[in-house]
Coordinates of all heavy atoms in Angstrom, one line a residue:
F580 N 5.0 -21.4 -45.8 CA 3.8 -22.0 -44.9 C 2.9 -20.7 -44.5 O 1.7 -20.9 -44.7 CB 4.4 -22.6 -43.5 CG 3.4 -23.1 -42.7 CD1 2.1 -23.5 -43.2 CD2 3.7 -23.2 -41.4 CE1 1.1 -24.1 -42.4 CE2 2.7 -23.8 -40.4 CZ 1.5 -24.3 -41.0
S581 N 3.5 -19.7 -44.1 CA 2.6 -18.5 -43.6 C 1.9 -17.9 -44.9 O 0.8 -17.4 -44.8 CB 3.3 -17.5 -42.8 OG 4.4 -17.0 -43.4
A582 N 2.6 -17.9 -46.1 CA 2.0 -17.5 -47.2 C 0.8 -18.3 -47.7 O -0.3 -17.8 -48.1 CB 3.0 -17.4 -48.5
F583 N 0.8 -19.6 -47.3 CA -0.2 -20.5 -47.7 C -1.4 -20.2 -46.8 O -2.6 -20.1 -47.3 CB 0.1 -22.0 -47.4 CG -0.9 -23.0 -47.3 CD1 -1.3 -23.5 -48.6 CD2 -1.6 -23.3 -46.2 CE1 -2.4 -24.5 -48.5 CE2 -2.6 -24.3 -46.2 CZ -2.9 -24.8 -47.3
A584 N -1.2 -19.9 -45.6 CA -2.3 -19.6 -44.6 C -3.0 -18.3 -45.1 O -4.2 -18.2 -45.0 CB -1.7 -19.4 -43.2
A585 N -2.1 -17.3 -45.5 CA -2.7 -16.0 -45.9 C -3.5 -16.2 -47.2 O -4.5 -15.5 -47.4 CB -1.7 -14.9 -46.1
A586 N -3.0 -17.1 -48.1 CA -3.7 -17.4 -49.3 C -5.1 -18.1 -49.1 O -6.0 -17.7 -49.8 CB -2.9 -18.4 -50.2
Q587 N -5.1 -18.8 -48.2 CA -6.5 -19.4 -47.8 C -7.4 -18.4 -47.3 O -8.7 -18.5 -47.6 CB -6.4 -20.7 -46.8 CG -5.3 -21.8 -47.2 CD -5.6 -22.2 -48.6 OE1 -6.8 -22.7 -49.0 NE2 -4.6 -22.2 -49.4
M588 N -6.9 -17.5 -46.4 CA -7.8 -16.4 -46.0 C -8.2 -15.5 -47.1 O -9.5 -15.1 -47.2 CB -7.1 -15.6 -44.9 CG -8.1 -14.6 -44.2 SD -7.2 -13.7 -42.9 CE -8.5 -12.8 -42.2
A589 N -7.3 -15.2 -48.0 CA -7.6 -14.4 -49.2 C -8.7 -15.1 -50.1 O -9.6 -14.4 -50.6 CB -6.4 -14.1 -50.1
K590 N -8.5 -16.3 -50.3 CA -9.5 -17.1 -51.1 C -10.9 -17.1 -50.5 O -11.9 -16.8 -51.2 CB -9.0 -18.4 -51.3 CG -9.9 -19.3 -52.2 CD -9.3 -20.7 -52.5 CE -10.0 -21.5 -53.5 NZ -9.4 -22.8 -53.7
A591 N -10.9 -17.2 -49.1 CA -12.2 -17.3 -48.4 C -12.9 -15.9 -48.5 O -14.1 -15.8 -48.5 CB -12.0 -17.6 -47.0
L592 N -12.2 -14.8 -48.6 CA -12.7 -13.4 -48.7 C -12.9 -13.1 -50.1 O -13.2 -11.8 -50.4 CB -11.8 -12.5 -47.9 CG -11.7 -12.7 -46.4 CD1 -10.6 -11.8 -45.9 CD2 -13.0 -12.6 -45.8
G593 N -12.8 -13.9 -51.1 CA -12.9 -13.6 -52.5 C -11.8 -12.7 -53.1 O -12.1 -12.0 -54.2
K594 N -10.7 -12.6 -52.5 CA -9.6 -11.9 -53.0 C -8.7 -12.7 -54.0 O -7.6 -13.1 -53.6 CB -8.8 -11.1 -51.9 CG -9.7 -10.3 -51.1 CD -9.0 -9.6 -49.9 CE -9.9 -8.9 -49.0 NZ -10.5 -7.8 -49.7
T595 N -9.2 -12.9 -55.2 CA -8.6 -13.9 -56.1 C -7.2 -13.6 -56.4 O -6.3 -14.5 -56.4 CB -9.4 -14.1 -57.4 OG1 -10.8 -14.5 -57.0 CG2 -8.9 -15.2 -58.2
A596 N -6.9 -12.3 -56.8 CA -5.6 -11.9 -57.2 C -4.6 -12.1 -56.2 O -3.5 -12.5 -56.3 CB -5.5 -10.4 -57.7
D597 N -5.0 -11.7 -54.9 CA -4.1 -12.0 -53.7 C -3.9 -13.5 -53.5 O -2.7 -13.9 -53.2 CB -4.8 -11.3 -52.4 CG -4.6 -9.9 -52.5 OD1 -4.0 -9.2 -53.4 OD2 -5.2 -9.2 -51.5
Y598 N -4.9 -14.2 -53.7 CA -4.8 -15.7 -53.5 C -3.7 -16.2 -54.5 O -2.9 -17.1 -54.0 CB -6.1 -16.4 -53.7 CG -6.0 -17.8 -53.8 CD1 -5.8 -18.7 -52.7 CD2 -6.0 -18.6 -54.9 CE1 -5.6 -19.9 -52.8 CE2 -5.8 -19.9 -55.2 CZ -5.7 -20.7 -53.9 OH -5.6 -22.0 -54.1
Q599 N -3.8 -15.9 -55.7 CA -3.0 -16.5 -56.7 C -1.6 -16.1 -56.4 O -0.5 -16.9 -56.5 CB -3.3 -16.0 -58.1 CG -4.7 -16.3 -58.6 CD -4.7 -17.8 -58.9 OE1 -3.7 -18.5 -59.0 NE2 -5.8 -18.4 -59.0
K600 N -1.3 -14.9 -55.9 CA 0.1 -14.4 -55.6 C 0.6 -15.1 -54.4 O 1.7 -15.7 -54.4 CB 0.1 -12.9 -55.3 CG 1.4 -12.3 -55.0 CD 1.3 -10.8 -54.6 CE 0.9 -9.9 -55.7 NZ 1.0 -8.5 -55.5
L601 N -0.3 -15.2 -53.4 CA 0.3 -15.9 -52.2 C 0.4 -17.4 -52.3 O 1.4 -18.0 -51.7 CB -0.7 -15.6 -50.9 CG -0.8 -14.1 -50.5 CD1 -2.1 -13.8 -49.8 CD2 0.4 -13.9 -49.5
I602 N -0.5 -18.1 -53.0 CA -0.3 -19.5 -53.2 C 1.0 -19.8 -53.9 O 1.6 -20.8 -53.7 CB -1.6 -20.1 -53.9 CG1 -1.7 -21.6 -53.3 CG2 -1.6 -20.0 -55.3 CD1 -1.9 -21.8 -51.9
K603 N 1.3 -18.8 -55.0 CA 2.6 -19.1 -55.6 C 3.8 -19.1 -54.5 O 4.7 -19.9 -54.7 CB 2.8 -18.0 -56.7 CG 4.2 -18.0 -57.4 CD 4.3 -16.8 -58.4 CE 5.6 -16.8 -59.1 NZ 5.8 -15.7 -59.9
Y604 N 3.7 -18.1 -53.7 CA 4.8 -17.9 -52.7 C 4.8 -19.1 -51.8 O 5.9 -19.5 -51.2 CB 4.7 -16.6 -51.9 CG 5.1 -15.4 -52.7 CD1 4.2 -14.3 -52.9 CD2 6.2 -15.4 -53.5 CE1 4.5 -13.2 -53.5 CE2 6.5 -14.3 -54.3 CZ 5.7 -13.1 -54.2 OH 6.0 -12.1 -54.9
S605 N 3.8 -19.8 -51.5 CA 3.6 -21.0 -50.7 C 4.5 -22.1 -51.2 O 4.7 -23.0 -50.5 CB 2.2 -21.4 -50.4 OG 1.6 -22.1 -51.5
N606 N 4.8 -22.0 -52.5 CA 5.7 -23.1 -53.0 C 7.1 -22.8 -53.0 O 8.0 -23.3 -53.8 CB 5.2 -23.4 -54.5 CG 3.9 -24.1 -54.5 OD1 3.8 -25.3 -53.9 ND2 2.9 -23.6 -55.1
G607 N 7.5 -21.7 -52.3 CA 8.9 -21.3 -52.2 C 9.9 -22.4 -51.9 O 11.1 -22.3 -52.3
W608 N 9.3 -23.3 -51.0 CA 10.3 -24.4 -50.6 C 10.9 -25.2 -51.7 O 12.1 -25.8 -51.7 CB 9.6 -25.3 -49.7 CG 8.4 -26.1 -50.3 CD1 7.2 -25.7 -50.5 CD2 8.5 -27.4 -50.9 NE1 6.4 -26.6 -51.2 CE2 7.3 -27.7 -51.5 CE3 9.5 -28.3 -51.1 CZ2 6.9 -28.8 -52.1 CZ3 9.3 -29.5 -51.7 CH2 8.0 -29.7 -52.2
R609 N 10.1 -25.2 -53.0 CA 10.6 -26.0 -54.0 C 11.9 -25.5 -54.6 O 12.7 -26.3 -55.2 CB 9.5 -26.0 -55.2 CG 8.2 -26.7 -54.7 CD 7.2 -26.6 -55.9 NE 5.9 -27.2 -55.5 CZ 5.6 -28.5 -55.6 NH1 6.5 -29.4 -56.1 NH2 4.5 -29.0 -55.3
Y610 N 12.2 -24.2 -54.5 CA 13.4 -23.6 -55.0 C 14.6 -24.2 -54.3 O 15.7 -24.3 -54.9 CB 13.4 -22.1 -54.8 CG 12.5 -21.4 -55.7 CD1 11.3 -20.9 -55.4 CD2 12.9 -21.1 -57.2 CE1 10.4 -20.2 -56.2 CE2 12.0 -20.4 -58.0 CZ 10.8 -20.0 -57.5 OH 10.0 -19.3 -58.4
L611 N 14.5 -24.6 -53.1 CA 15.5 -25.0 -52.3 C 15.7 -26.6 -52.1 O 16.6 -27.1 -51.5 CB 15.5 -24.5 -50.8 CG 15.4 -22.9 -50.8 CD1 15.6 -22.5 -49.3 CD2 16.5 -22.2 -51.7
Y612 N 14.7 -27.3 -52.7 CA 14.7 -28.7 -52.7 C 15.8 -29.3 -53.6 O 15.7 -29.0 -54.9 CB 13.4 -29.4 -52.9 CG 13.4 -30.9 -52.9 CD1 13.5 -31.5 -51.6 CD2 13.4 -31.7 -54.0 CE1 13.5 -32.8 -51.6 CE2 13.5 -33.0 -53.9 CZ 13.6 -33.7 -52.7 OH 13.6 -35.0 -52.6
N613 N 16.8 -30.0 -53.1 CA 17.9 -30.5 -53.9 C 17.6 -32.0 -54.2 O 17.8 -32.8 -53.3 CB 19.2 -30.2 -53.2 CG 20.4 -30.6 -54.1 OD1 20.3 -31.3 -55.1 ND2 21.7 -30.2 -53.7
P614 N 17.2 -32.4 -55.4 CA 16.9 -33.8 -55.6 C 18.1 -34.7 -55.6 O 18.0 -35.9 -55.3 CB 16.4 -33.7 -57.1 CG 17.0 -32.5 -57.7 CD 17.0 -31.5 -56.6
A615 N 19.3 -34.1 -55.6 CA 20.6 -34.9 -55.5 C 20.6 -35.5 -54.2 O 21.1 -36.7 -54.0 CB 21.8 -34.0 -55.8
N616 N 20.3 -34.7 -53.1 CA 20.5 -35.3 -51.8 C 19.2 -35.4 -51.0 O 19.1 -35.8 -49.8 CB 21.4 -34.4 -50.9 CG 21.0 -33.1 -50.8 OD1 19.9 -32.6 -51.0 ND2 22.0 -32.1 -50.6
K617 N 18.0 -35.1 -51.8 CA 16.6 -35.1 -51.2 C 16.5 -34.3 -49.9 O 15.8 -34.6 -49.0 CB 16.2 -36.5 -50.9 CG 16.2 -37.4 -52.2 CD 15.7 -38.8 -52.0 CE 15.7 -39.7 -53.1 NZ 14.9 -39.3 -54.3
L618 N 17.2 -33.1 -49.9 CA 17.1 -32.3 -48.7 C 16.9 -30.9 -49.2 O 17.1 -30.5 -50.4 CB 18.6 -32.3 -47.9 CG 18.9 -33.7 -47.3 CD1 20.3 -33.5 -46.7 CD2 17.9 -34.0 -46.2
I619 N 16.4 -30.1 -48.2 CA 16.3 -28.6 -48.4 C 17.7 -28.0 -48.2 O 18.3 -28.3 -47.1 CB 15.3 -28.0 -47.5 CG1 13.9 -28.6 -47.7 CG2 15.4 -26.5 -47.5 CD1 13.3 -28.1 -49.1
Q620 N 18.1 -27.3 -49.2 CA 19.6 -26.9 -49.1 C 19.6 -25.3 -49.4 O 18.9 -24.9 -50.4 CB 20.4 -27.5 -50.1 CG 21.9 -27.2 -50.0 CD 22.9 -28.2 -50.8 OE1 22.4 -29.2 -51.1 NE2 24.0 -27.7 -51.2
P621 N 20.3 -24.4 -48.6 CA 20.3 -23.1 -48.9 C 20.8 -22.8 -50.3 O 21.7 -23.5 -50.8 CB 21.3 -22.5 -47.8 CG 21.2 -23.5 -46.7 CD 21.1 -24.9 -47.4

Side-chain angles (χ1 to χ4, degrees):
F580 181 26
S581 56
F583 171 86
Q587 304 310 306
M588 188 176 185
K590 187 176 184 180
L592 296 174
K594 300 181 184 296
T595 305
D597 285 353
Y598 169 77
Q599 295 293 344
K600 180 185 292 186
L601 288 160
I602 205 67
K603 177 183 175 183
Y604 289 129
S605 77
N606 287 300
W608 66 275
R609 294 180 185 273
Y610 288 100
L611 303 189
Y612 180 76
N613 186 346
N616 56 26
K617 298 184 185 292
L618 295 170
I619 296 293
Q620 185 169 337

